[in-house]
Amino acid sequence: MTENEHEQRMARPRMAAGALFFNDQGHVLLVRPSYKPQWEIPGGYVETGESPLTACRREVREELGIAPAIGSLLVVDWAPNDAEGDKVLYVFNGGELQPEDVSAIKLDAAELLAAEFHPTEAVDQLLIPRLARRVKRAITARRQAHPQYLEHGEPLTF
């Protein structure tokens, strides 16, 4: 195999990173994008030369107008998509937002219609199925203080 053939076989997944934030009642912060009908978590695509954690911090700052501390990795999910190709998705622990952080949220009006806290039990109804699986696994990882590797939002059995 030539070096060019080897290069062509290498994966070039899109990467995205987001954060889970909670309030003092344990509800998770979800955002409502203006460009799609479903709720999401704060975050977005990783840009060239940017780490997933840096992308997460940038996206939170751009979307919510706040810069809270972003903690440890909760999950990494390999999630190929027929329409968009392979994706590797990172979810970080944003922790519990303090009331002053919540009151300081200023949505990027070009991207978001709303940012609201929802009970964790509601994620299945509010998020698309693969994101709901990822978020539920991230909530478990946060509770157990143990990051998880996922494929299509599901853990592997070893």
Side-chain angles (χ1 to χ4, degrees), residues 7-86:
E7 287 282 326
Q8 290 176 351
R9 292 182 59 206
M10 288 183 184
R12 290 176 182 82
R14 291 181 183 200
M15 295 190 302
L20 290 188
F21 295 104
F22 298 86
N23 65 10
D24 60 359
Q25 298 174 355
H27 295 173
V28 65
L29 182 69
L30 301 178
V31 295
R32 185 72 184 255
S34 58
Y35 51 89
K36 60 172 95 170
Q38 305 90 358
W39 290 85
E40 294 275 342
I41 63 172
Y45 282 108
V46 177
E47 296 178 356
T48 301
E50 186 177 48
S51 77
L53 180 57
T54 300
C56 180
R57 289 175 176 152
R58 175 184 51 76
E59 286 286 344
V60 167
R61 194 173 51 255
E62 288 174 3
E63 291 180 353
L64 302 178
I66 59 174
I70 305 292
S72 62
L73 178 69
L74 296 174
V75 299
V76 59
D77 188 9
W78 179 74
N81 180 299
D82 290 338
E84 299 175 3
D86 291 348

Side-chain angles (χ1 to χ4, degrees), residues 28 30 118-128 132-133 135-136 139:
V28 65
L30 301 178
H118 292 274
T120 58
E121 301 80 30
V123 298
D124 282 323
Q125 289 75 42
L126 297 171
L127 305 176
I128 60 173
R133 289 191 303 269
V135 167
K136 289 189 294 187
I139 290 168

Side-chain angles (χ1 to χ4, degrees), residues 73-118:
L73 178 69
L74 296 174
V75 299
V76 59
D77 188 9
W78 179 74
N81 180 299
D82 290 338
E84 299 175 3
D86 291 348
K87 292 183 180 183
V88 178
L89 308 162
Y90 299 83
V91 179
F92 293 93
N93 185 3
E96 183 180 314
L97 288 179
Q98 298 306 304
E100 58 270 17
D101 293 320
V102 175
S103 64
I105 290 175
K106 294 198 178 18
L107 299 181
D108 177 352
E111 278 195 56
L112 298 179
L113 301 173
E116 299 173 1
F117 287 97
H118 292 274

